[in-house]
Amino acid sequence: MYDIAIFWDWVSFAVRWLHVITAMAWIGSSFYFIALDLGLNRNIEGPADGEEWQVHGGGFYHVQKYLVAPATMPEHLTWFKWESYTTWLSGVAMLMVVYWAGSELYLIDPAKMDLSTWQAIGISAGSLAVGWAIYDGLCKSKLGEHPTLLMVLLFAVLVVMSWGFNQVFTGRAALLHLGAFTATIMTANVAMIIMPNQRIVVADLKAGRVPDAKYGKIAKLRSTHNNYLTLPVIFLMLSNHYPLSFGTPYAWIIACLVFLMGVTIRHYFNSMHARSGRPNWTWGMTAILFVVIAWLSSVPHFDGDVETAEAAPLTAYEQRYAQADGFEQAHDIVQGRCAMCHARAPVWERVRWAPKGILLETRADIARNARAIFLHAGVSHAMPPANITGIAAEDRAILAAWYRSAN
């Protein structure tokens, strides 16, 4: 079974790697086309709506855009879709591998809602589907004719979802799920709105019919939403590495403010690419939002004391490792080599918050994080950094043997 734990961690690594690569491709092409569309020279003659001359890699490129479609279809047409689809599919795979399979550690917070694994997974998956249905319904309503009002209402939906996730899941999972919800909207926009509308236009052209411009208008609305949602999604996907963003009761407010930062930053670059000026005020607003976020992340809050945490009953998952052979030795090793940083009030100099939000003070803390201890301090020397507390090879062997005995 311990081989499975190592293999599973490499599966997580591989899926995460794929997710990052495909996300780079999707975001890169998305940003490129937004900048291209906004910067087109439209003072031209002919049927094209605009054109742009670009230079890159020693070559010159002449790009033309047609508002609906050219008079005749070219023999070869490149569709930009798989970057989006693969990013979402790999992201869902990572959600399953990390958060669903590791629900006792990363997803469920008994202090908020004492869920079973399947209940937590059901809420996780169901929230993504329900969130898309709400968003899609709003866009297809008459609000679609009022883009600014629609954006305000969509922000309100994001606020509610952020608060809701924070009431159910761990702070880390709450921010990750808000990112997954937003990414689901973005990919569904491509798969269920933008691509079908483009296929209708292509089919009309092949049949000799004049395409209806409404399909382009609908796709444009969804594409604009994707443009403004991209930067917040990147923040939320990286947030699990930074406990200052998720290890606070105000994590859901921080996430909402990040969406506003995404709007201010994208507005600046959209205006610049459209040659409509440089609204420098957006940087001031972004800085203010960032300062507020930093302040919220460090506002003092009561996170429980060690005595209360020690007295709390162990969950079935925690009991499994607390009752395993070698736990007492492992407990003493972790207490002596790890708990000074991974504490509710760290005592190691310059460490103010437990790294990655991982606590290793109580018996329940150590049992709950058995797999992470096994991987990071048992079979590898990843922790502590530079072995600063001097864990001996014999101690690492004890930690590994303890985890294996429970599996």
Side-chain angles (χ1 to χ4, degrees):
M1 286 300 295
Y2 65 84
D3 287 333
I4 292 177
I6 296 173
F7 174 75
W8 198 251
D9 209 52
W10 277 107
V11 169
S12 173
F13 190 176
V15 173
R16 189 183 300 272
W17 192 13
L18 174 63
H19 186 56
V20 170
I21 292 170
T22 55
M24 288 170 62
W26 182 18
I27 294 169
S29 62
S30 174
F31 278 10
Y32 170 73
F33 277 105
I34 288 291
L36 175 65
D37 184 67
L38 292 173
L40 287 172
N41 175 22
R42 289 181 165 81
N43 187 24
I44 61 173
E45 297 180 357
D49 178 59
E51 68 175 8
E52 179 81 341
W53 282 92
Q54 300 180 345
V55 59
H56 181 74
F60 292 86
Y61 298 81
H62 184 202
V63 184
Q64 290 185 315
K65 175 190 174 181
Y66 292 83
L67 193 59
V68 178
T72 58
M73 284 299 300
E75 293 184 6
H76 176 71
L77 185 62
T78 301
W79 297 76
F80 290 86
K81 56 182 180 179
W82 288 111
E83 300 93 336
S84 173
Y85 299 167
T86 312
T87 299
W88 187 82
L89 290 171
S90 60
V92 170
M94 193 163 66
L95 179 67
M96 294 177 177
V97 169
V98 177
Y99 287 87
W100 292 6
S103 59
E104 294 92 348
L105 179 59
Y106 297 121
L107 186 60
I108 300 171
D109 185 347
K112 293 180 179 179
M113 191 172 290
D114 194 6
L115 302 169
S116 69
T117 295
W118 290 110
Q119 287 174 328
I121 292 174
I123 294 173
S124 172
S127 64
L128 303 185
V130 172
W132 159 253
I134 294 172
Y135 164 80
D136 188 51
L138 288 173
C139 290
K140 289 179 177 177
S141 70
K142 295 189 177 185
L143 289 169
E145 301 295 326
H146 307 280
T148 302
L149 177 59
L150 177 60
M151 286 285 280
V152 172
L153 288 176
L154 293 179
F155 177 70
V157 171
L158 288 169
V159 171
V160 172
M161 293 291 285
S162 181
W163 177 85
F165 281 135
N166 199 56
Q167 302 307 303
V168 178
F169 298 139
T170 64
R172 173 174 174 167
L175 264 61
L176 188 283
H177 275 75
L178 186 63
F181 160 63
T182 308
T184 297
I185 287 177
M186 296 171 67
T187 296
N189 276 340
V190 175
M192 303 178 70
I193 303 297
I194 297 173
M195 292 303 300
N197 286 0
Q198 289 179 336
R199 291 191 184 99
I200 292 172
V201 171
V202 170
D204 284 342
L205 284 170
K206 289 182 176 179
R209 298 187 295 268
V210 177
D212 192 331
K214 73 175 183 179
Y215 295 110
K217 182 180 179 181
I218 294 172
K220 181 68 173 178
L221 176 67
R222 303 300 182 102
S223 181
T224 299
H225 291 169
N226 283 8
N227 176 35
Y228 281 102
L229 292 174
T230 301
L231 294 181
V233 165
I234 295 174
F235 176 94
L236 293 170
M237 292 306 172
L238 292 174
S239 65
N240 65 94
H241 297 285
Y242 298 94
L244 280 176
S245 66
F246 67 77
T248 165
Y250 312 108
W252 69 277
I253 301 177
I254 289 174
C256 295
L257 295 179
V258 167
F259 278 98
L260 295 180
M261 285 177 62
V263 171
T264 56
I265 294 171
R266 288 308 301 162
H267 178 67
Y268 175 85
F269 284 102
N270 289 344
S271 300
M272 181 181 69
H273 292 147
R275 302 186 180 93
S276 59
R278 296 173 181 261
N280 292 318
W281 62 266
T282 59
W283 293 114
M285 182 60 67
T286 301
I288 292 172
L289 290 170
F290 190 82
V291 169
V292 173
I293 287 173
W295 174 74
L296 284 173
S297 72
S298 57
V299 171
H301 62 274
F302 182 69
D303 197 26
D305 56 77
V306 179
E307 290 76 15
T308 302
E310 191 71 70
L314 274 64
T315 65
Y317 179 83
E318 293 164 353
Q319 289 176 6
R320 171 183 171 187
Y321 291 97
Q323 295 171 0
D325 292 340
F327 174 73
E328 295 303 331
Q329 285 180 288
H331 174 272
D332 292 343
I333 293 169
V334 173
Q335 282 280 314
R337 305 296 183 183
C338 311
M340 63 283 293
C341 292
H342 291 277
R344 288 159 180 80
V347 296
W348 193 272
E349 187 179 3
R350 292 190 299 274
V351 175
R352 296 185 62 189
W353 293 271
K356 294 273 181 94
I358 302 297
L359 300 174
L360 298 174
E361 289 184 288
T362 70
R363 298 171 69 85
D365 292 338
I366 294 170
R368 187 186 316 116
N369 290 284
R371 182 172 176 270
I373 293 170
F374 168 71
L375 291 172
H376 297 162
V379 297
S380 78
H381 292 192
M383 295 299 291
N387 199 20
I388 194 169
T389 59
I391 297 183
E394 295 80 5
D395 290 341
R396 294 186 187 277
I398 291 172
L399 294 176
W402 159 57
Y403 179 83
R404 291 168 180 167
S405 70
N407 292 280

